[in-house]
């Protein structure tokens, strides 16, 4: 019988929530407000891969490669070493998103070209893990909802068909006020969604994580409190 292969994130307590890891070869959305831990989650997923001999690529949109290396180093992860060994690369989305077509009023990125270029790089490096942090620029918000959805569907499909990687896509989320709006990436198109939030718990603010969905996985809808710890990264409190 067909079984879902799992890709461990190395996040203490998380892999156990999702039957050992993320479904291999799929795209998972990590969503949350600024500062909730999306980048750290992504870097930990990549670092765990490197420890297991799986190469990785991080595509940054908002940050400089040096800042990413510094962020990782602050948690005790020496990514620089893997850059030197050519097992890990940080790319800036700008290089892929420069392929725009149309005039200033009608800018639309050529997603086929952007993902095609990225796939070449992924295949050259033989990367197994890929992060788009954030993925929003790849779907370049346009005028109507339909087009955004079309772009998103296309992005997820192209990632699936043109590279063998397991992908983490991050996006900003507005707080849950009954209606949760995802900016850029539609939840129903990805194989999994992890929501990172700050919550009030016993009169203090705490970091929390919910596995909103994970295809082919028995993931319980439970809010898990976590901490960010030097040398360990994200640690679910039940596992501290
Ligand atoms: N070395 C560290 N040790 C402990 N906590 C850290 C460390 N580095 C960062 N943090 C915590 O992690 C938080 C930021 O996490 P991260 O950068 O992953 O958030 P983000 O969701 O990617 O934010 P943004 O949307 O702004 O990119 C910081 O605000 C800080 O509190
Ligand atoms: Mg970030």
């Amino acid at each position: 019988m067909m079984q879902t292969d799992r890709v461990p994130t190395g996040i203490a307590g998380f892999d156990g929530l999702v039957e050992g890891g993320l479904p291999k070869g799929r795209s998972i959305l990590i969503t949350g407000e600024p500062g909730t831990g999306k980048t750290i989650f992504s870097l930990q997923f990549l670092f765990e891969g490197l420890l297991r001999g799986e190469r990785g690529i991080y595509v940054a949109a908002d940050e400089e490669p040096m800042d990413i290396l510094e962020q990782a180093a602050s948690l005790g992860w020496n990514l620089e070493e893997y850059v030197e060994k050519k097992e890990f690369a940080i790319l800036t989305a700008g290089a892929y998103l420069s392929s725009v077509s149309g005039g200033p009023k009608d800018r639309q990125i050529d997603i086929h070209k952007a993902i095609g270029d990225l796939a070449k790089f992924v295949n050259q490096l033989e990367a197994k893990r890929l992060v788009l942090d954030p993925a929003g620029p790849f779907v370049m918000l346009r005028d109507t909802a339909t087009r955004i959805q079309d772009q998103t569907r296309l992005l997820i499909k192209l990632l699936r068909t043109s590279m063998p990687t397991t992908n983490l896509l991050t996006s900003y989320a507005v707080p849950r006020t009954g209606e949760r709006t995802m900016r850029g990436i539609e939840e129903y198109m990805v194989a999994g969604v992890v929501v990172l939030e700050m919550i009030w718990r016993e009169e203090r603010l705490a970091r929390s994580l919910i596995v909103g969905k994970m295809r082919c996985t028995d993931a319980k809808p439970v809010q898990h409190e976590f901490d960010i710890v030097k040398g360990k990264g994200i640690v679910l409190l039940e596992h501290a």
Side-chain angles (χ1 to χ4, degrees), residues 185-236:
I185 301 294
E186 309 296 320
E187 285 188 39
Y188 60 88
M189 292 177 193
V190 287
V193 178
V194 177
V195 183
L196 305 181
E197 271 179 313
M198 297 288 256
I199 55 164
W200 282 101
R201 201 169 255 193
E202 288 152 23
E203 295 182 15
R204 64 184 176 88
L205 262 179
R207 299 185 186 280
S208 89
L209 174 156
I210 301 173
V211 181
K213 82 170 201 185
M214 200 62 69
R215 288 202 182 126
C216 311
T217 307
D218 175 16
K220 305 277 185 272
V222 176
Q223 192 156 40
H224 302 273
E225 200 175 317
F226 71 89
D227 207 352
I228 297 173
V229 185
K230 266 193 209 317
K232 290 188 187 163
I234 293 177
V235 177
L236 271 63

Side-chain angles (χ1 to χ4, degrees), residues 10-38:
I11 293 171
F14 177 82
D15 292 329
L17 298 179
V18 291
E19 299 183 22
L22 305 174
K24 190 175 177 186
R26 309 298 295 269
S27 292
I28 311 318
L29 179 69
I30 311 294
T31 188
E33 289 181 84
T36 48
K38 301 181 295 297

Side-chain angles (χ1 to χ4, degrees), residues 148-166:
I148 296 165
Q149 288 177 358
D150 285 348
Q151 284 283 86
T152 308
R153 185 174 288 116
L154 191 54
L155 171 69
I156 306 293
K157 189 176 148 225
L158 288 174
L159 286 172
R160 187 100 196 260
T161 53
S162 56
M163 43 192 112
T165 46
T166 304

Side-chain angles (χ1 to χ4, degrees), residues 38-39 63 133:
K38 301 181 295 297
T39 296
E63 284 162 291
D133 182 25

Side-chain angles (χ1 to χ4, degrees), residues 31-73:
T31 188
E33 289 181 84
T36 48
K38 301 181 295 297
T39 296
I40 291 173
F41 192 110
S42 306
L43 292 175
Q44 193 158 2
F45 162 77
L46 289 170
F47 193 71
E48 177 67 17
L50 293 169
L51 293 177
R52 291 169 179 265
E54 298 170 19
R55 298 177 179 182
I57 294 179
Y58 176 97
V59 183
D62 301 332
E63 284 162 291
E64 293 300 322
M66 283 306 290
D67 299 341
I68 297 301
L69 293 177
E70 191 183 345
Q71 172 63 80

Side-chain angles (χ1 to χ4, degrees), residues 31 36 53 62 76 113 129 138 142-143 181 195 211 219 223 238:
T31 188
T36 48
D62 301 332
K113 181 166 187 323
R129 300 184 184 214
F138 279 88
R142 289 233 23 195
D143 42 5
T181 318
V195 183
V211 181
Q223 192 156 40
E238 304 97 280

Side-chain angles (χ1 to χ4, degrees), residues 46 55-59 87-91 118 121-123 125 127-132:
L46 289 170
R55 298 177 179 182
I57 294 179
Y58 176 97
V59 183
E87 293 179 16
F88 175 66
I90 301 176
L91 308 177
L118 183 57
F121 203 92
V122 164
N123 292 321
L125 195 86
K128 299 283 185 288
R129 300 184 184 214
L130 173 71
V131 168
L132 306 182

